[in-house]
Every structure is written in structure tokens, then in C-alpha cells.
Amino acid sequence: MLKSHLIVSAANCAFVLAAVAARAEASLPSLGCYARAYDKAHLSAHRNQIVDKAWLSIETRKDTPPYPFLATLQFSTKGRGKATFSTFGACKEDRGALLCNASLSAEETDRCKAKNDGVRHCRIGYDKAGAFRIAAQPEGVLVTVVERLEMPGPDAGGRARYLYLSPDNAENRAFLLPPAAAKACE
């Protein structure tokens, strides 16, 4: 009985050590540009997806510990709210990926009554712009919304527009972006 418990305990320890070693070997996303335009087939299969194009640029920042990376994230939306929204993220390493805090917009607009995802002319909050994670994948990077993301966009009739994406919305929380030429992120 004791021998079987020791064998099970040793097997469990080996499994945990292998998992920790695998996580330690996970590489951070490469610096550079990533972009994707979602085709009609994808958007038809994901009718509630707001984003039709996505761009991401990752670069290093000098003398800015503990956030040594800068990510510029942009989304284009489809339909009536069609526009381009962007944010800059100060990023740090977090469990084999980059965790980025989105930038707060300086616009002081009315507060929203609803907190639904989509394009709005109001702010859900003035103090939090959200966060996103960038994880390396064989196909490029996976950008995941981890805290409600607020992205400022163009002015429309003198009023700022914002794109809101929630980590709870399966259609608008994760975006797989392949590597692209630097020109795609300009």
C-alpha cells in the first residue's frame, strides 16, 4: 500500500515538473507586425463578431521597467459602426506571454448606461481602459481580451467613438493574427 502511494506521488511530481518545464520553455511573441482581415466565410460563421480586420505591432521600450514592451493594437469594425479603433499597451512578461494594459483615452465624454460590447459614443468608465494578452502561437500570435477593453476611435460629429470588447464575449475576445510585413501595421 505504501509502495503504491509512493509510486503515485512520484508520478504526480514528475507530471508537475514536466508541466513547469514546458511553461518555462514557452517563448514570448516575436517583435514585429501581425495582421488579419477576416474573410466573408469566417464572418458568416461568426455573425456576432464585430471586428473585421486586426493589426498588432510589438516593439521594445527602453528604460521602462517593468513594462519593457509596447504593443499597438488596432481593430476595424464591420457594419454601421465601421471605423478603426486603436490602443497602445504597455506590456510585461506574464506566464510565457505578454500582458498589456491598454491606454486611457483623454476624452471626457458622457458615461454609458449599458455595458454591452460594440461601438459607442460614450465611456463605460473613466478609470479603466482594459487589458489584453499576447501569446505566441505556431501561426503567429493570439490576442485575448482579459479585462474589458476600451479602444478610442475617430470623432463622429464632434463626439469621440469607442469600441468595447469584453472577455466574456466568445465572438470578440480572441483574435489569431499571423505575421505580416511591417507596412501592414503602418
Side-chain angles (χ1 to χ4, degrees), residues 3-25:
K3 185 176 181 179
S4 65
H5 283 302
L6 289 174
I7 291 171
V8 170
S9 294
N12 286 338
C13 286
F15 175 77
V16 168
L17 289 174
V20 168
R23 180 173 277 175
E25 290 177 11

Side-chain angles (χ1 to χ4, degrees), residues 106-111 121-123 126 159-160 162 164:
E107 297 289 330
E108 296 300 328
T109 61
D110 295 333
R111 290 182 62 97
H121 288 283
C122 52
R123 301 280 303 271
Y126 295 117
R159 296 180 65 195
Y162 299 90
Y164 295 101

Side-chain angles (χ1 to χ4, degrees), residues 94-168:
D94 180 63
R95 296 174 292 167
L98 296 178
L99 180 61
C100 307
N101 295 320
S103 63
L104 285 171
S105 171
E107 297 289 330
E108 296 300 328
T109 61
D110 295 333
R111 290 182 62 97
C112 296
K113 292 184 171 99
K115 295 189 184 262
N116 298 336
D117 286 0
V119 177
R120 304 230 181 282
H121 288 283
C122 52
R123 301 280 303 271
I124 288 180
Y126 295 117
D127 59 342
K128 294 196 178 195
F132 57 96
R133 178 184 231 48
I134 307 168
Q137 299 291 307
E139 305 87 354
V141 296
L142 181 64
V143 177
T144 307
V145 176
V146 295
E147 182 181 300
R148 177 170 289 286
L149 194 58
E150 172 188 274
M151 300 177 73
D155 283 344
R159 296 180 65 195
R161 295 170 74 189
Y162 299 90
L163 172 64
Y164 295 101
L165 300 176
S166 167
D168 301 327

